DNA sequence: ACTCTGGTTCAAGACGTC
DNA sequence: TTAATTGAACCAGAGT
DNA sequence: GACGTCC
């Protein structure tokens, strides 16, 4: 669930950290894309109601393929626009998240029952709605997606833990320009730039700049993390009676969750004297310190150690995989590949220079050492780079 | 009146052809 | 021993 | 642009 109500909170308290941008703004840039989020959207959106059953896209063995169709098309759109996507997959979630995951699993099981019921009653609209909520991603589906994206020539990263944390690390290391996700957690993991609405064709795209946000809120990073925990995160329960509004006020006044807990106890003690109900309820296991650690020093692969390269699609194996194993129509693949193949690489390169040649600001200026090594790539478009053709 | 919280419920894509 | 995405909108009810 | 289809 990310950080509860953080988006709305930021709109109110830090309205100037947002920008709206069109897709072409990102030409020449490298973007870290949250894969699981995108897969869910595609899987859900490719379901439809038949007369007596729900129809899903599958291969001949019954494995679902809606996510492949979506990722295939969207990746082509990116490449077509000169955007270099890095698809980042979730690894094993942290132990603290198991409570939240169990909750979601239970909801999905309930939705499954409701789907069956609706099917019996012939309420296909309801059946579709409930079936969408049962959507899960199996390991086969995930492996299929990884295989396809790699055959398309895109770098794929399987994060050791949370994908958002890995993207934030890549962004701070200068390997990507931004993290594209709907999950507001990415800001808590301190991604410098967050993009929302990036994996749908609908424009504009919303960009949130971390530095602007933190300045406007007038908080330190540590205080912002505490604020997120108080709003409600995936790792621990929250204090009942404190939402985003009061959390912000209290953080300003008492500086940290420790300070707030002291204050909370005072308030509650005072009310007990007057025979009043407690104003706030601290959960019996309020694991705010562990949560903090997960946000501030998450398990990630170091950005420096990752080399991101884009290759030309492996057309033969891609077609083999998608047509023979996944049942894709050959014409769709050919059409799709044409969209990126017919672009003359030289023309492509000069187009990027047109976009950025004059106005590019190097965020991490190369010192002479880095230049000599020349393996220190940044997210900024490179004027002479581009060894890899797309 | 107003603010805030907390629970519930809904929504989440793109292509090709007409 | 398998799977593990989320936000937004709405409304009721409590507290100030 | 709306609509059926994508697998």
């Amino acid at each position: 669930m990310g950080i509860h109500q953080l988006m709305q909170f930021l709109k109110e308290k830090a309205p100037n950290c947002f920008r709206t941008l069109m897709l072409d703004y990102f030409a020449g840039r490298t973007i870290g894309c949250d894969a699981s989020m995108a897969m869910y959207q595609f899987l859900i959106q490719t379901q439809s109601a038949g007369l007596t059953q729900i129809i899903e896209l599958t291969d001949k063995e019954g494995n679902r393929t809606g996510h492949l169709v979506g990722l295939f098309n969207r990746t082509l759109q990116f490449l077509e626009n000169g955007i270099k996507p890095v698809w980042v997959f979730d690894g094993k979630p942290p132990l603290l998240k198991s409570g939240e995951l169990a909750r979601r699993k239970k909801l999905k099981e309930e939705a499954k029952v409701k789907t069956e019921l609706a099917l019996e009653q012939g309420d296909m609209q309801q059946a579709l709605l409930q079936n969408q909520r049962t959507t899960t991603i199996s390991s086969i589906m995930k492996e299929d997606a990884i295989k396809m994206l790699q055959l398309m020539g895109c770098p794929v990263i399987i994060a050791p833990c949370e994908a958002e944390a890995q993207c934030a690390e890549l962004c701070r290391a200068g390997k990507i320009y931004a993290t594209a996700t709907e999950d507001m957690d990415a800001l808590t993991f301190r991604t410098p730039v967050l993009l929302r609405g990036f994996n749908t064709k609908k424009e504009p795209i919303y960009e949130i700049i971390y530095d602007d946000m933190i300045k406007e809120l007038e908080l330190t990073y540590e205080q912002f993390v505490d604020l997120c925990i108080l709003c409600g995160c995936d790792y621990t329960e929250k204090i009942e009676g404190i939402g985003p509004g009061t959390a912000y006020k209290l953080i300003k006044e008492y500086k940290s969750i420790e300070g707030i807990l002291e204050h909370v106890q005072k308030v509650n003690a005072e009310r007990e004297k007057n025979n009043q109900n407690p104003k706030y309820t601290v959960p019996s296991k309020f694991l705010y310190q562990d949560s903090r650690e997960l946000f501030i020093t998450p398990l990630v692969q170091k950005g420096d150690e990752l080399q991101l390269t884009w290759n030309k699609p492996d057309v033969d194996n891609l077609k083999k995989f998608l047509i023979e194993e996944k049942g894709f129509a050959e014409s769709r693949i050919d059409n799709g590949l044409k969209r990126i193949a017919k672009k003359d690489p030289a023309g492509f390169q000069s187009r990027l220079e047109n976009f950025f040649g004059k106005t590019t600001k190097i965020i991490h200026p190369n010192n002479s050492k880095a230049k000599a090594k020349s393996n220190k790539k940044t997210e900024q478009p490179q004027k002479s780079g581009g060894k890899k053709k797309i």
Side-chain angles (χ1 to χ4, degrees):
Chain A
M1 218 165 51
I3 305 302
H4 203 232
Q5 294 184 328
L6 183 58
M7 186 61 184
Q8 214 184 333
F9 172 80
L10 289 181
K11 277 185 192 164
E12 282 175 35
K13 309 288 182 182
N16 297 313
C17 70
F18 295 91
R19 283 203 295 175
T20 57
L21 299 161
M22 296 296 133
L23 191 64
D24 60 17
Y25 171 80
F26 300 97
R29 299 191 195 268
T30 304
I31 307 293
C33 301
D34 177 6
S36 58
M37 172 117 293
M39 285 195 289
Y40 270 98
Q41 288 178 231
F42 295 135
L43 282 166
I44 286 168
Q45 202 57 25
T46 49
Q47 298 174 23
S48 58
L51 286 176
T52 59
Q53 56 180 341
I54 301 300
I55 299 163
E56 297 168 341
L57 305 187
T58 63
D59 64 18
K60 57 180 181 273
E61 287 167 13
N63 299 307
R64 295 190 58 183
T65 51
H67 60 310
L68 299 181
V69 176
L71 285 175
F72 180 77
N73 288 324
R74 192 57 183 158
T75 299
L76 289 176
Q77 283 175 15
F78 287 150
L79 298 176
E80 200 176 9
N81 282 278
I83 297 163
K84 294 185 280 185
V86 185
W87 290 101
V88 183
F89 288 76
D90 281 311
K92 289 178 190 168
L95 211 58
L96 280 196
K97 206 172 177 176
S98 50
E100 172 64 19
L101 294 179
R103 205 193 108 250
R104 290 179 199 167
K105 192 177 174 187
K106 192 180 151 207
L107 287 174
K108 288 186 180 183
E109 279 163 6
E110 287 170 9
K112 199 156 235 164
V113 174
K114 287 183 188 171
T115 306
E116 296 303 323
L117 189 68
L119 283 176
E120 282 171 25
Q121 296 171 344
D123 184 349
M124 297 313 292
Q125 199 187 334
Q126 182 65 205
L128 177 61
L129 177 67
Q130 295 302 333
N131 195 65
Q132 287 175 327
R133 290 179 189 171
T134 67
T135 303
T136 59
I137 294 172
S138 70
S139 46
I140 291 179
M141 290 154 70
K142 186 171 154 186
E143 284 160 21
D144 285 345
I146 292 169
K147 184 173 178 182
M148 182 190 73
L149 292 168
Q150 285 175 338
L151 287 172
M152 291 178 80
C154 290
V156 168
I157 295 172
I158 300 163
C161 194
E162 304 265 44
E164 277 69 32
Q166 185 65 62
C167 285
E169 161 67 16
L170 289 170
C171 200
R172 284 203 307 279
K175 294 283 179 171
I176 59 176
Y177 168 77
T179 300
T181 180
E182 304 309 303
D183 187 351
M184 300 296 286
D185 274 2
L187 287 170
T188 324
F189 288 117
R190 208 158 33 112
T191 190
V193 183
L194 170 62
L195 303 180
R196 306 195 77 212
F198 196 72
N199 46 22
T200 135
K201 208 175 183 184
K202 193 165 159 281
E203 292 174 292
I205 291 150
Y206 289 83
E207 185 182 67
I208 304 176
I209 310 288
Y210 172 86
D211 280 342
D212 293 347
M213 177 196 75
I214 209 82
K215 272 180 205 150
E216 206 169 352
L217 292 176
E218 297 181 308
L219 295 176
T220 65
Y221 171 55
E222 287 74 15
Q223 289 171 342
F224 177 66
V225 170
D226 277 7
L227 172 72
C228 290
I229 294 170
L230 289 170
C231 287
C233 68
D234 292 342
Y235 302 142
T236 186
E237 295 182 56
K238 61 193 290 303
I239 300 176
E240 263 180 64
I242 296 180
T246 41
Y248 186 50
K249 277 182 212 152
L250 293 177
I251 282 284
K252 287 275 200 187
E253 193 166 355
Y254 301 100
K255 310 300 179 195
S256 68
I257 291 182
E258 280 83 355
I260 290 171
L261 284 174
E262 256 180 61
H263 168 254
V264 160
Q265 279 160 13
K266 272 187 206 161
V267 169
N268 282 347
E270 190 64 28
R271 290 173 68 95
E272 198 172 348
K273 267 190 217 164
N274 303 335
N275 259 352
Q276 290 172 298
N277 289 330
K279 187 169 179 181
Y280 306 116
T281 311
V282 180
S284 57
K285 287 185 182 174
F286 185 34
L287 306 175
Y288 67 95
Q289 287 169 322
D290 296 321
S291 303
R292 236 184 225 161
E293 202 174 322
L294 285 175
F295 283 125
I296 296 175
T297 54
L299 181 59
V300 290
Q301 206 175 340
K302 284 270 183 293
D304 299 340
E305 297 166 7
L306 287 164
Q307 195 78 2
L308 306 178
T309 54
W310 285 261
N311 302 307
K312 277 201 280 190
D314 180 348
V315 176
D316 289 348
N317 285 317
L318 180 63
K319 287 178 84 167
K320 206 170 177 183
F321 176 56
L322 290 182
I323 296 169
E324 290 176 20
E325 289 186 44
K326 296 298 157 188
F328 276 53
E330 183 165 16
S331 61
R332 288 217 182 232
I333 301 176
D334 288 337
N335 268 342
L337 291 179
K338 235 185 277 170
R339 280 160 51 192
I340 55 172
K342 74 182 175 190
K343 284 189 180 297
D344 164 36
F348 182 65
Q349 193 61 32
S350 69
R351 180 161 154 262
L352 296 191
E353 288 187 15
N354 287 340
F355 269 107
F356 292 104
K358 290 167 190 169
T359 57
T360 298
K361 289 173 195 159
I362 304 298
I363 289 179
H364 305 289
N366 290 333
N367 56 32
S368 49
K369 260 187 201 171
K371 266 183 193 165
K373 273 188 167 181
S374 90
N375 58 359
K376 189 113 186 170
K377 297 186 179 176
T378 75
E379 79 281 13
Q380 291 300 318
Q382 290 145 38
K383 296 187 179 178
S384 58
K387 286 162 270 183
K388 304 295 173 188
K389 295 168 190 171
I390 295 187

